[in-house]
Amino acid sequence: MADDRMNLRPGERRQDPRFVVNLPAHVTIRGERVLCKLIDISEHGALVETEGPVHVGDKVSLDLPNIGPTIATVLRITPSHMAMIFPGAVVISSLLPKEER
């Protein structure tokens, strides 16, 4: 069984395990719904691949497969990725393979 959890690097502030999922999703940025790929997720945040027009600190809505939309705040951006944090815990078990639940 492969372990898709991502290890924390020394000095990293994350406390929740992240899980690699690589699923299609949508993110709404300033009223515009944009297709994205959900790269990894934890109970309190996610990394998505998208080229949507976004800035650090923006509030977005991430529409998660099998879960639905959740509000998030953009923490970090690169030309192709956006890291975000959720204001509360999100139950992510429906996104994970059975052996990860």
Side-chain angles (χ1 to χ4, degrees):
M1 167 175 72
D3 187 356
D4 285 335
R5 288 177 287 186
M6 302 177 80
N7 294 325
L8 299 179
R9 289 171 273 176
E12 189 153 345
R13 294 177 293 178
R14 289 183 185 98
Q15 296 180 4
D16 300 320
R18 291 181 292 162
F19 298 90
V20 175
V21 290
N22 289 318
L23 296 171
H26 287 90
V27 63
T28 302
I29 306 165
R30 295 188 200 105
E32 181 181 347
R33 185 174 160 98
V34 178
L35 181 63
C36 65
K37 180 160 64 168
L38 181 62
I39 303 297
D40 68 51
I41 192 163
S42 73
E43 289 181 352
H44 291 96
L47 178 68
V48 299
E49 183 179 308
T50 185
E51 295 178 10
V54 68
H55 302 285
V56 171
D58 281 356
K59 301 287 187 210
V60 298
S61 177
L62 179 62
D63 194 354
L64 297 167
N66 303 318
I67 295 174
T70 188
I71 300 300
T73 301
V74 177
L75 289 178
R76 185 178 65 253
I77 54 172
T78 70
S80 61
H81 291 81
M82 169 184 358
M84 60 186 70
I85 187 169
F86 307 133
V90 173
V91 178
I92 61 171
S93 58
S94 64
L95 296 174
L96 306 177
K98 288 182 181 181
E99 61 270 6
E100 294 286 338
R101 293 181 194 177

